[in-house]
Amino acid sequence: MKTSKLTSVIAVLVVLSGFMWRSFGATLYVWSESPEPKPPYTNWTTAARVIQEAVNAASSGDEIVVTNGVYATGGRAVHGAMTNRVALPKALTLRSVNGPEFTVIEGYQVPGTRNGPGAIRCVYLADGARLSGFTLTNGATCTSGDESRERSGGGVYCASTDAVVTNCVLAGNTAERYGGGAYRGTLYNCTLTGNSAWSGGGACWGNLYKCKLTGNSAWSGGGASGGNLYNCTLTANSSGWDAGGASGCTLYNCTLAGNSAQRAGGGASGGTLYNCTLAGNSATEGGGANGGTLNNCTVTGNLAFRGGGIYATTANNSIVYFNTDSFGGNHCQSSLNHCCTTPLPGNGVGNIDADPQLVSMDHIGASSPCRWAGDAKYATGVDIDGEPWASPPSIGCDEIQPGPLT
């Protein structure tokens, strides 16, 4: 019996070791000034000078390491006429040595129009592909062909949310349809700035974690459109129609500040927001939010012609106070429950109109009437600081914790 067990264990270890060897794969190198580029690019002396050449030589599971430089040559089309400066059509990892400050992948924008025939997207990622530590800039898309695969994702196009982008800067990219910076994908710790598209100037239909979206623009959803955002900040984004910050997104513990929309939803339009701050946004209707649902949010310092804080929005456990509109109201045509606002709405339950005693745009003081005045059925996750909700929870995005201030 002992021999049989030992044999079984050895067999399992052999199988696992083989799996691990295949999982880690080979490492290929890219250096724009490589002295002697030669396939299979297995060291710095023989490193490829063009990223796509190393990608073409790699197998699924391999890692490609890129050192400092601006990589603006090479390319590969994956779908139709849309050329990508770098295309990872299989499960590869592409990472830089020293991060986005030193390593740039540059696309190409058509002079005068930016998007159009001849435009080059920065990066294409297939399912399971990984990208880390690059600046993606000057990418653009076609203006005809498949709406998502050829006309979306000027900075990076991801085949699904199983394609992952980490520690990257997506700046100055554009798309004719969706996601000027990024289309789909899962993004961690990325900065998306100065990108533009018809919808989702910064990102569209992706999962974003701890990302910064600033200065992006679109007709709808200047910062983001669709998708899920966690612990992200959306600032100074703009739209020509609705949702300066986010359109139709689900947001958790995010801050939307200083965004603007020509018509509706300076901070957000549609979607559902949990434990978020909406401050200093502006629009014609709903300076903070238009439509959608707000749970445990703080909406303050926003400006609109109608509904300085919210317009046609459902708000629960939320502070909607110190906003400005042409008629002096924080809310307009909205449904509020267990909220702190003035004037008191004609509908809903558990609302109060006392000063919330804000000590910042997202925190309340220890003696605030909002403390423990919410309804537990609307509380989700943790507060804006990552701390647990009390029972009952406080109104707004901040929970006061007992003990000394940390």
Side-chain angles (χ1 to χ4, degrees), residues 316-387:
N316 306 302
N317 287 4
S318 294
I319 296 172
V320 187
Y321 224 98
F322 303 123
N323 303 285
T324 304
D325 74 4
S326 297
F327 304 99
N330 286 290
H331 52 86
C332 182
Q333 299 183 22
S334 297
S335 174
L336 294 88
N337 295 288
H338 300 279
C339 289
C340 179
T341 190
T342 183
L344 285 174
N347 56 37
V349 297
N351 297 302
I352 59 176
D353 62 358
D355 187 326
Q357 298 182 27
L358 293 169
V359 295
S360 69
M361 69 179 184
D362 47 16
H363 289 78
I364 57 175
S367 60
S368 169
C370 298
R371 189 175 187 184
W372 305 334
D375 189 325
K377 69 182 178 184
Y378 298 119
T380 299
V382 292
D383 79 348
I384 195 72
D385 298 319
E387 296 176 328

Side-chain angles (χ1 to χ4, degrees), residues 47-385:
R49 292 176 181 171
V50 176
I51 296 176
Q52 191 62 49
E53 292 177 355
V55 172
N56 295 342
S59 301
S60 294
D62 289 351
E63 179 183 57
I64 300 165
V65 181
V66 184
T67 194
N68 303 8
V70 176
Y71 295 87
T73 58
R76 176 174 174 176
V78 178
H79 298 292
M82 184 71 254
T83 299
N84 310 277
R85 182 67 71 201
V86 177
L88 275 63
K90 46 199 167 187
L92 301 170
T93 296
L94 178 65
R95 69 173 178 87
S96 72
V97 175
N98 294 312
E101 183 179 355
F102 301 98
T103 321
V104 178
I105 297 175
E106 185 174 328
Y108 176 76
Q109 297 179 356
V110 181
T113 62
R114 303 215 290 174
N115 297 302
I120 299 176
R121 175 192 288 136
C122 293
V123 176
Y124 169 93
L125 297 177
D127 290 346
R130 303 289 185 265
L131 179 74
S132 181
F134 291 88
T135 289
L136 310 181
T137 188
N138 208 40
T141 69
C142 296
T143 51
S144 62
D146 185 87
E147 188 174 63
S148 65
R149 294 183 294 183
E150 295 178 75
R151 298 158 61 189
S152 301
V156 60
Y157 174 94
C158 300
S160 74
T161 53
D162 192 40
V164 177
V165 181
T166 65
N167 189 34
C168 285
V169 175
L170 290 76
N173 303 289
T174 181
E176 192 263 343
R177 293 300 290 173
Y178 307 114
Y183 182 76
R184 284 201 294 252
T186 297
L187 281 66
Y188 295 92
N189 298 307
C190 292
T191 298
L192 299 90
T193 181
N195 304 288
S196 62
W198 179 80
S199 180
C204 186
W205 295 114
N207 294 327
L208 280 67
Y209 297 83
K210 295 185 178 180
C211 292
K212 298 179 180 179
L213 298 89
T214 180
N216 303 288
S217 61
W219 179 249
S220 177
S225 179
N228 304 296
L229 285 74
Y230 305 83
N231 301 98
C232 294
T233 58
L234 296 86
T235 57
N237 302 288
S238 61
S239 76
W241 185 246
D242 72 335
S247 174
C249 298
T250 302
L251 298 97
Y252 300 87
N253 301 71
C254 294
T255 297
L256 299 87
N259 304 288
S260 62
Q262 288 293 316
R263 192 189 73 82
S269 184
T272 304
L273 284 71
Y274 300 94
N275 323 320
C276 293
T277 302
L278 298 91
N281 305 288
S282 62
T284 301
E285 296 176 344
N290 170 74
T293 301
L294 309 180
N295 292 325
N296 278 104
C297 292
T298 299
V299 185
T300 187
N302 301 285
L303 172 68
F305 177 71
R306 288 184 292 185
I310 58 176
Y311 182 88
T313 300
T314 297
N316 306 302
N317 287 4
S318 294
I319 296 172
V320 187
Y321 224 98
F322 303 123
N323 303 285
T324 304
D325 74 4
S326 297
F327 304 99
N330 286 290
H331 52 86
C332 182
Q333 299 183 22
S334 297
S335 174
L336 294 88
N337 295 288
H338 300 279
C339 289
C340 179
T341 190
T342 183
L344 285 174
N347 56 37
V349 297
N351 297 302
I352 59 176
D353 62 358
D355 187 326
Q357 298 182 27
L358 293 169
V359 295
S360 69
M361 69 179 184
D362 47 16
H363 289 78
I364 57 175
S367 60
S368 169
C370 298
R371 189 175 187 184
W372 305 334
D375 189 325
K377 69 182 178 184
Y378 298 119
T380 299
V382 292
D383 79 348
I384 195 72
D385 298 319

Side-chain angles (χ1 to χ4, degrees), residues 12-27:
V12 170
L13 290 175
V14 169
V15 171
L16 287 175
S17 64
F19 171 76
M20 292 172 65
W21 182 85
R22 288 192 298 271
S23 297
F24 289 123
T27 300

